[in-house]
Amino acid sequence: LIQAYNPALGLLFSQLFIILLPALLFIGKNEFKSLISQHRRKTLSGFIVVVAAAVPMYIITTFLFWILSFISSSHSIDVSKYSELLKIENSNIVLIILLYAVVPAICEEILFRGYFLKVFRKYGIITALIFPALMFGVFHFQYIKVLPVFISGIWLGFLAIKTKNIILPIAAHFLHNFIVILSVNFKEYDPAFSMVNQQGHYKIYYIVSALFIMFVLTKLILKMNLLTSSKDDFT
């Protein structure tokens, strides 16, 4: 209801009071500290991988969204409304980045890769990867977004399990949303951001290259010692 009246205010309210506050209450103070603790040197090496993966992951999720949008008759209206909210000429660039990149990255990761991943972790790594990612996809309330967001949720969950904290998932989430903001505002200057040419045909070499890069980066991060302890869930 608040978002219907004021999208920005509604988003901020839902992120802080419907997502973040309950997650913090369930997680607890001590557990929350463990979720954000990590050695700087290990964080830096992981952050480099996250930055390298930001554009390939964006390409993959955009490609999936582009495919699924063909089965929806109303997606263009929804996308148009969302794009208007992200345009710099309609608001302050700092406010847009704060509301649509920083706040969701922090709040949603604390809930999905903090609380929910912990809940499902007791049932095994696969369960901890799939169920929070699926909930993350459904949470976006548009069926054409479920699969793309689910795939990104798998990557975010992988980072969280590998590092046992949410610093890298927050960084990856922020970078994805930040690239979306850039794609809305600057795609006319750099066609690579749009990923779809003027004839509506997806440039297949983008998705092939993105998949290959993500494969290499995933293998790389599996070999990296990013844990603050010696135990690694993926070995």
Side-chain angles (χ1 to χ4, degrees):
L1 291 174
I2 297 176
Q3 286 184 358
Y5 172 74
N6 185 311
L9 181 62
L11 175 66
L12 185 62
F13 179 87
S14 62
Q15 289 287 335
L16 294 179
F17 295 102
I18 299 178
I19 298 173
L20 180 61
L21 182 59
L24 291 177
L25 291 175
F26 281 114
I27 291 174
K29 182 179 179 180
N30 293 332
E31 184 66 23
F32 178 72
K33 287 183 178 180
S34 68
L35 288 175
I36 61 174
S37 63
Q38 191 179 51
H39 296 161
R40 290 183 179 180
R41 186 175 299 176
K42 295 177 180 179
T43 302
L44 178 61
S45 58
F47 184 74
I48 293 173
V49 175
V50 166
V51 172
V55 171
M57 180 55 66
Y58 169 74
I59 294 174
I60 293 170
T61 54
T62 303
F63 176 69
L64 293 173
F65 178 82
W66 178 72
I67 292 177
L68 295 174
S69 65
F70 282 111
I71 64 177
S72 173
S73 60
S74 61
H75 79 280
S76 59
I77 298 176
D78 296 330
V79 172
S80 177
K81 289 181 178 180
Y82 182 70
S83 297
E84 287 297 318
L85 296 175
L86 300 182
K87 287 185 177 179
I88 296 175
E89 60 264 27
N90 294 337
S91 184
N92 182 282
I93 180 61
V94 176
L95 181 62
I96 291 176
I97 294 174
L98 178 65
L99 287 178
Y100 297 98
V102 176
V103 172
I106 295 174
C107 297
E108 292 175 13
E109 289 312 303
I110 290 176
L111 177 63
F112 291 101
R113 257 61 62 179
Y115 175 68
F116 283 127
L117 190 142
K118 176 188 174 184
V119 169
F120 289 104
R121 182 64 185 85
K122 66 183 71 173
Y123 302 107
I125 293 177
I126 301 301
T127 303
L129 278 174
I130 292 178
F131 278 89
L134 181 60
M135 296 171 70
F136 184 50
V138 174
F139 167 77
H140 285 74
F141 299 111
Q142 284 184 302
Y143 69 90
I144 59 174
K145 288 185 178 181
V146 172
L147 182 58
V149 177
F150 169 76
I151 295 300
S152 65
I154 292 290
W155 169 245
L156 296 171
F158 167 71
L159 294 173
I161 292 175
K162 175 65 179 175
T163 61
K164 294 188 183 298
N165 65 68
I166 57 173
I167 297 298
L168 292 186
I170 287 176
H173 195 148
F174 164 78
L175 287 172
H176 176 82
N177 289 3
F178 183 69
I179 291 174
V180 172
I181 294 173
L182 292 180
S183 70
V184 170
N185 288 281
F186 301 109
K187 62 183 178 181
E188 63 270 24
Y189 303 109
D190 188 349
F193 277 127
S194 66
M195 303 303 148
V196 181
N197 65 22
Q198 294 180 351
Q199 287 74 38
H201 298 295
Y202 201 92
K203 299 174 182 177
I204 194 64
Y205 55 85
Y206 277 123
I207 186 64
V208 173
S209 300
L211 289 170
F212 175 75
I213 293 172
M214 287 305 302
F215 173 78
V216 172
L217 292 177
T218 300
K219 297 288 289 185
L220 177 62
I221 206 169
L222 281 171
K223 295 180 179 180
M224 296 171 66
N225 181 22
L226 299 174
L227 295 175
T228 54
S229 63
S230 59
K231 183 179 179 181
D232 192 332
D233 286 302
F234 286 93
T235 57

